[in-house]
């Protein structure tokens, strides 16, 4: 992990001002699916966006990071076929991410999208799986959603039909809901 230059661009970003409220952590070790199910039980409604920050100790965390791509850019499904994966054991760090409602399917992936970074800020990535140890959980709700679209010929000519939304869900959900433990 390294700090990105201010001039670096990104094809997608989800941004918010986070002021989370503390959530009582569950007892015992949980995997990805168990933790997100627990978080869902704490929500007053699943029709809003939520941000989450979880600091703590993890028995293990598995992440991925997509390598830099060049033009002509491959579809995300293709770009992630040879993604590097990283596994960390007995590590302290932070999970951050969003929970999106079902109705944004196609614009984003419904459910949780989490990233991890170690406490010393040297390793991390998109979360594929984990086993928790001790956690400090904070969540915040968002009642507004703004989407800015590019204004250029490349974007205007892209194929963005509903058929393509399934690819994104396959990439995100196919590995993110794993519940294996080590």
């Amino acid at each position: 992990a390294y700090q990105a230059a201010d001039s670096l661009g990104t094809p997608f970003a989800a941004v918010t001002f986070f002021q989370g409220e503390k959530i009582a952590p569950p007892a015992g070790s949980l995997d990805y699916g168990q933790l997100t199910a627990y978080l869902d039980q704490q929500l007053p409604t699943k029709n809003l966006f939520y941000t989450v920050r979880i600091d703590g100790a993890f028995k293990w965390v598995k992440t991925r990071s997509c390598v830099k791509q060049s033009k002509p850019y491959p579809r995300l499904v293709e770009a992630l076929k040879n993604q590097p994966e990283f596994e960390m054991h007995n590590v302290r760090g932070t999970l951050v991410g969003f929970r999106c409602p079902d109705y944004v399917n196609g614009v984003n992936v419904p459910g949780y999208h989490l990233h991890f970074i170690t406490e010393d800020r040297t390793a991390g990535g998109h979360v594929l799986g984990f086993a928790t140890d001790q956690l400090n959980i904070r969540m915040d709700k968002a009642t507004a959603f703004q989407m800015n679209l590019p204004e250029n010929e490349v974007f205007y000519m892209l194929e963005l039909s509903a058929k393509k939304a399934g690819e994104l869900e396959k990439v995100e959900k196919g590995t993110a809901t794993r519940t294996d433990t080590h």
Side-chain angles (χ1 to χ4, degrees), residues 4-168:
D6 289 342
S7 61
L8 186 65
T10 182
F12 177 83
V15 181
T16 189
F17 292 101
F18 183 79
Q19 297 189 9
E21 295 181 25
K22 190 169 180 156
I23 304 289
S29 180
L30 301 176
D31 63 27
Y32 193 112
Q34 292 167 328
L35 180 62
T36 57
Y38 175 80
L39 295 176
D40 274 351
Q41 292 172 3
Q42 312 308 307
L43 304 178
T45 178
K46 292 182 181 180
N47 292 336
L48 296 177
F49 291 83
Y50 294 90
T51 53
V52 60
R53 177 179 175 148
I54 303 172
D55 298 291
F58 296 82
K59 294 178 182 178
W60 68 272
V61 180
K62 187 171 186 176
T63 64
R64 73 161 186 234
S65 181
C66 189
V67 296
K68 182 179 178 179
Q69 303 297 308
S70 300
K71 289 182 181 181
Y73 298 113
R75 300 209 52 80
L76 186 58
V77 170
E78 294 300 318
L80 294 180
K81 280 186 176 176
N82 298 312
Q83 68 188 354
E85 294 183 356
F86 310 95
E87 197 160 318
M88 298 155 267
H89 296 271
N90 301 315
V91 63
R92 295 192 62 79
T94 303
L95 291 170
V96 294
F98 290 87
R99 184 197 184 283
C100 295
D102 288 341
Y103 59 84
V104 298
N105 191 22
V107 173
N108 208 321
V109 178
Y112 290 89
H113 181 119
L114 300 175
H115 285 235
F116 178 79
I117 191 159
T118 57
E119 189 172 65
D120 65 5
R121 304 299 192 250
T122 60
H126 173 85
V127 174
L128 298 176
F130 56 75
T132 65
D133 204 354
Q134 301 169 337
L135 302 176
N136 177 8
I137 303 170
R138 293 187 302 149
M139 290 186 81
D140 198 6
K141 68 181 177 194
T143 58
F145 170 72
Q146 177 181 334
M147 187 165 82
N148 299 331
L149 301 173
E151 293 187 62
N152 60 53
E153 195 66 27
V154 173
F155 180 75
Y156 297 160
M157 302 309 291
L158 283 175
E159 166 58 49
L160 298 173
S161 69
K163 298 182 288 192
K164 304 295 183 184
E167 288 182 13
L168 180 59

